[in-house]
């Protein structure tokens, strides 16, 4: 039995040496400022979560990410894990409670509960005349507004690890994550990466909330955020490209494992942030998958994963 079963990913936490520069990138990426203090920046999306991305002022550093607890009792249980903090009040907008844990590489993984939600923000309407419903926009023209994508919510966190077995066991046993797809190379027992989702019983959840891959170094591979739809991925891409100051990592394409349409961009300190839309959703009844790594494993269309991203790890 896992210690607890988390219900979703909540936010990513980074440290950056310049909050103005950090905010400029995050706004261009599609977040909206929830709050900024002299040493911390909280960014939200259009859904009701108070924040999805936290930046602290300091040397560039990947601190960790946070999951949502099902209830306060689960926080109590998690606080008894070796090396975990006590249940503590969160000193940030929206309040709430948390437990801080250290994963096998020492990254801070928080589990939070009771953060006050905000009113959702309006999402630009985009009605599509496709599939069997050809006249959903009868008489109406599509005119997309240029500008950043609209981030809705956080989708997943990805960590490169030097010890895949230990890392996977820890995340699964501590947070109740279950396997969506393991990926192997050479022989089936040689698993090199793994997609994991929340166990919410019969409720359908994203194909993965946590992905981890074996590499020479441990670190953040990327944070991932859901946007409205494929037009939002494309318009977001155009916006970031037009700025001509951000490094593009990978995309646009459609994943195989998880099926999301994706696009990956680096922030000014090389931390990769992904836009995605249209994920597979599974429930606890879907059996685990086992896929062979190779051409087409990570993209059904679009370019293959760049070599440098395969074990990309930033600390
Ligand atoms: Fe991703």
């Amino acid at each position: 039995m896992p210690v607890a079963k988390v219900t979703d990913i909540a936010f990513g936490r980074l440290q950056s040496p310049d909050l103005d520069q950090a905010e400029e990138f995050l706004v261009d990426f599609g977040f909206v400022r929830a709050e900024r203090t002299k040493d911390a920046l909280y960014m939200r999306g259009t859904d009701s979560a108070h924040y999805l991305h936290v930046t602290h002022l300091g040397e560039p550093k990947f601190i960790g990410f946070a999951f949502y607890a099902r209830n306060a009792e689960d926080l109590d249980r998690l606080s008894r894990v070796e090396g975990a903090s006590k249940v503590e009040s969160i000193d940030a907008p929206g309040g709430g409670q948390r437990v801080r844990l250290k994963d096998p590489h020492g990254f801070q993984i928080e589990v939070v509960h009771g953060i006050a939600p905000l009113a959702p923000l309006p999402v630009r309407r985009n009605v599509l005349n496709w599939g069997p419903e050809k006249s959903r926009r009868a008489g109406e023209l599509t005119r997309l507004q240029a500008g950043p994508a609209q981030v809705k919510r956080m989708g997943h966190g990805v960590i490169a690890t030097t010890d895949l077995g230990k890392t996977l066991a820890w995340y699964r046993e501590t947070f109740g994550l279950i396997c969506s797809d393991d990926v192997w190379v050479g022989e089936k027992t040689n698993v090199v990466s793994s997609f994991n989702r929340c166990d919410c019983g019969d409720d359908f959840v994203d194909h993965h909330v946590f992905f981890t891959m074996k590499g020479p170094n441990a670190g953040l591979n990327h944070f991932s955020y859901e946007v409205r739809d494929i037009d939002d991925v494309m318009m977001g891409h155009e916006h970031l490209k037009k700025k001509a100051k951000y490094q593009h990592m990978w995309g646009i394409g459609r994943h195989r494992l998880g099926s999301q349409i994706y696009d990956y961009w680096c922030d000014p300190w090389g931390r990769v942030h992904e836009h995605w839309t249209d994920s597979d959703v599974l429930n606890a009844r879907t059996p685990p998958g086992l896929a062979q790594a190779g051409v087409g494993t990570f993209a059904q269309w679009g370019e293959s994963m760049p070599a440098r991203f395969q074990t990309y790890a930033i600390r």
Side-chain angles (χ1 to χ4, degrees), residues 191-266:
V191 172
V192 294
S193 61
S194 177
F195 293 88
N196 295 268
R197 66 185 183 278
C198 294
D199 177 356
C200 294
D202 288 339
D203 291 345
F204 286 89
V205 297
D206 286 348
H207 172 270
H208 59 281
V209 78
F210 175 67
F211 177 57
T212 183
M213 81 276 279
K214 213 189 227 176
N217 300 297
L220 174 70
N221 181 269
H222 67 275
F223 287 149
S224 185
Y225 292 92
E226 181 175 0
V227 300
R228 184 196 60 198
D229 59 18
I230 184 169
D231 278 316
D232 214 36
V233 174
M234 302 300 289
M235 297 297 281
H237 179 92
E238 291 305 316
H239 178 76
L240 287 160
K241 195 166 79 180
K242 222 178 287 166
K243 291 278 159 175
K245 58 174 149 180
Y246 304 123
Q247 205 190 346
H248 187 236
M249 176 58 88
W250 181 28
I252 297 168
R254 189 187 273 277
H255 285 310
R256 177 170 304 279
L257 305 172
S259 307
Q260 307 90 340
I261 293 170
Y262 60 81
D263 189 29
Y264 294 81
W265 289 86
C266 297

Side-chain angles (χ1 to χ4, degrees), residues 5-291:
K5 290 182 179 182
V6 298
T7 58
D8 204 357
I9 194 163
F11 55 83
R13 201 183 277 279
L14 295 175
Q15 206 167 273
S16 303
D18 183 329
L19 291 187
D20 287 337
Q21 213 185 339
E23 183 166 5
E24 186 186 6
F25 167 78
L26 294 168
V27 167
D28 282 332
F29 185 81
F31 292 99
V32 172
R33 185 203 283 192
E35 192 151 320
R36 181 164 161 184
T37 65
K38 67 177 194 328
D39 54 10
L41 171 65
Y42 298 85
M43 302 299 283
R44 65 169 297 186
T46 55
D47 281 4
S48 58
H50 213 112
Y51 48 91
L52 308 173
H53 193 289
V54 184
T55 309
H56 298 275
L57 187 60
E59 285 310 298
K61 188 180 171 191
F62 163 54
I63 297 175
F65 49 80
F67 293 113
Y68 287 114
R70 198 170 33 169
N71 51 42
E73 292 75 67
D74 278 0
L75 282 191
D76 269 335
R77 263 190 288 279
L78 286 159
S79 71
R80 293 195 285 271
V81 170
E82 201 190 315
S85 73
K86 292 202 271 279
V87 177
E88 45 191 33
S89 298
I90 305 174
D91 181 18
Q97 292 191 304
R98 71 173 177 183
V99 171
R100 287 174 293 121
L101 302 103
K102 292 270 186 227
D103 88 347
H105 288 296
F107 300 123
Q108 174 179 282
I109 306 301
E110 298 162 71
V111 180
V112 300
H113 183 65
I115 300 175
L118 295 170
L121 298 175
V123 177
R124 290 191 291 268
R125 213 170 104 84
N126 189 33
V127 182
L128 303 173
N129 282 345
W130 64 8
E133 292 173 76
K134 185 66 193 292
S135 303
R136 277 188 295 194
R137 201 176 65 244
E140 224 183 279
L141 312 178
T142 282
R143 293 294 179 268
L144 300 167
Q145 190 185 325
Q150 286 194 287
V151 168
K152 272 172 68 65
R153 54 178 284 273
M154 189 162 188
H156 53 266
V158 178
I159 281 184
T161 174
T162 53
D163 189 337
L164 186 73
K166 196 170 166 188
T167 295
L168 257 185
W170 188 81
Y171 280 87
R172 287 179 181 169
E173 286 161 18
T174 311
F175 305 123
L177 303 183
I178 52 178
C179 175
S180 291
D181 285 293
D182 282 346
V183 181
W184 58 274
V185 167
E187 47 194 278
K188 286 189 177 173
T189 52
N190 183 35
V191 172
V192 294
S193 61
S194 177
F195 293 88
N196 295 268
R197 66 185 183 278
C198 294
D199 177 356
C200 294
D202 288 339
D203 291 345
F204 286 89
V205 297
D206 286 348
H207 172 270
H208 59 281
V209 78
F210 175 67
F211 177 57
T212 183
M213 81 276 279
K214 213 189 227 176
N217 300 297
L220 174 70
N221 181 269
H222 67 275
F223 287 149
S224 185
Y225 292 92
E226 181 175 0
V227 300
R228 184 196 60 198
D229 59 18
I230 184 169
D231 278 316
D232 214 36
V233 174
M234 302 300 289
M235 297 297 281
H237 179 92
E238 291 305 316
H239 178 76
L240 287 160
K241 195 166 79 180
K242 222 178 287 166
K243 291 278 159 175
K245 58 174 149 180
Y246 304 123
Q247 205 190 346
H248 187 236
M249 176 58 88
W250 181 28
I252 297 168
R254 189 187 273 277
H255 285 310
R256 177 170 304 279
L257 305 172
S259 307
Q260 307 90 340
I261 293 170
Y262 60 81
D263 189 29
Y264 294 81
W265 289 86
C266 297
D267 82 354
W269 301 277
R271 283 83 58 101
V272 177
H273 291 61
E274 177 187 10
H275 282 148
W276 67 256
T277 191
D278 197 26
S279 176
D280 292 334
V281 293
L282 310 175
N283 69 11
R285 282 190 249 200
T286 309
L290 188 58

